Amino acid sequence: MSIALAAASFVPGLAIGSFLNVVAARVPRKRSIVSPPSACMSCGHELSWVENVPVISWLAQRGKCRNCGAPIGVVYPIVELVTALLIAACFLAFGWSGTSFVAAFYCATLVTVSATDLSHRIIPNVIVLPATAIVLVAMTALHPSLEWLLGSLGAGAFLFLAILAYPKGMGMGDMKLALLLGAMLGRTVPVALMIGMAAALVPSIVLLGRHGMAARKMMIPFGPFLALGGVVGLFFGDELLDAYLSRF
């Protein structure tokens, strides 16, 4: 049953990913996500439905606009594919349940803020704060407990203290993203935070090796790493936390 649900949700997930590309491209520029219709960012050519099929259109056009030949970034099909895979994974993991839909919404939000942070170095309040409120209310309604509120506040406080200790390392957008992680993950949010921080160390070490102390001035968006931790925490957080606690 879960496998069938996951398969059935994949194509709608691609369509959702296509919409998330619009959100990620327009919200940081404070443009409407409803109108005008999707168009080439270079020449303004309005895309037909043939040019707007998730993943397939990008491959068929070899990553270029059919009108002007301007390159279309590989981030577009990646967002579509990752969104579809994550939504399918939610239904595979949680079946047909309210939790599946909340988890799918949560994953879609993580993909969107990762895209905006990578391209614009911003995690928009207009995306992450309403998403946090929706997830917090939904998880509390589905699984009545203070766990979700405490997880959200605890994760936000942890990142806030980290910002105070090292303000150049991350921004307030990252703290607000931590609120979302805590609202969804509850007690397992520490797993997400630790994985996110550990993953962020990899490019930091690479930059340090290449550029020495000058690497300290190079900005690395932290949002995608937090999002990675948030995804791992969603699907494997309980197992990882229990495995860690069992050692003591």
Side-chain angles (χ1 to χ4, degrees):
M1 179 66 173
S2 295
I3 295 176
L5 282 173
S9 66
F10 184 79
V11 172
L14 288 174
I16 292 171
S18 181
F19 174 70
L20 297 184
N21 274 322
V22 175
V23 174
R26 296 187 182 186
V27 167
R29 297 181 173 92
K30 298 182 179 180
R31 295 173 54 192
S32 171
I33 61 174
V34 178
S35 63
S38 297
C40 174
M41 299 292 287
S42 298
C43 67
H45 166 67
E46 187 175 317
L47 303 183
S48 66
W49 72 268
V50 176
E51 299 168 279
N52 217 13
V53 179
V55 180
I56 295 175
S57 291
W58 188 89
L59 292 173
Q61 295 166 202
R62 299 182 181 180
K64 296 180 181 179
C65 172
R66 290 177 65 184
N67 186 61
C68 68
I72 302 172
V74 71
V75 69
Y76 288 94
I78 288 177
V79 165
E80 293 164 349
L81 188 57
V82 169
T83 302
L85 289 172
L86 288 176
I87 289 177
C90 289
F91 285 95
L92 182 63
F94 306 111
W96 183 262
S97 66
T99 301
S100 295
F101 286 93
V102 179
F105 174 77
Y106 163 79
C107 287
T109 304
L110 293 184
V111 172
T112 307
V113 298
S114 295
T116 61
D117 203 17
L118 283 170
S119 57
H120 300 280
R121 298 295 191 271
I122 185 174
I123 297 176
N125 289 338
V126 71
I127 295 176
V128 73
L129 292 181
T132 299
I134 291 170
V135 169
L136 180 58
V137 170
M139 290 301 291
T140 302
L142 290 168
H143 311 283
S145 171
L146 286 175
E147 175 183 352
W148 321 111
L149 177 61
L150 295 176
S152 181
L153 295 178
F158 178 80
L159 261 291
F160 181 70
L161 293 175
I163 292 169
L164 291 180
Y166 186 54
K168 293 182 179 180
M170 60 190 77
M172 292 301 292
D174 300 315
M175 184 272 289
K176 294 165 188 173
L177 181 55
L179 294 174
L180 173 62
L181 267 59
M184 184 71 217
L185 304 179
R187 77 182 190 102
T188 62
V189 72
V191 173
L193 296 178
M194 293 303 104
I195 288 176
M197 290 183 171
L201 284 176
V202 175
S204 300
I205 292 172
V206 172
L207 288 176
L208 187 63
R210 288 184 176 181
H211 304 283
M213 296 306 292
R216 297 178 62 184
K217 298 181 179 180
M218 298 178 181
M219 299 295 293
I220 300 174
F222 188 47
F225 297 103
L226 273 180
L228 173 62
V231 169
V232 174
L234 176 65
F235 295 115
F236 308 106
D238 285 322
E239 292 83 353
L240 291 173
L241 183 60
D242 291 343
Y244 176 76
L245 294 177
S246 66
R247 300 178 62 183
F248 297 95

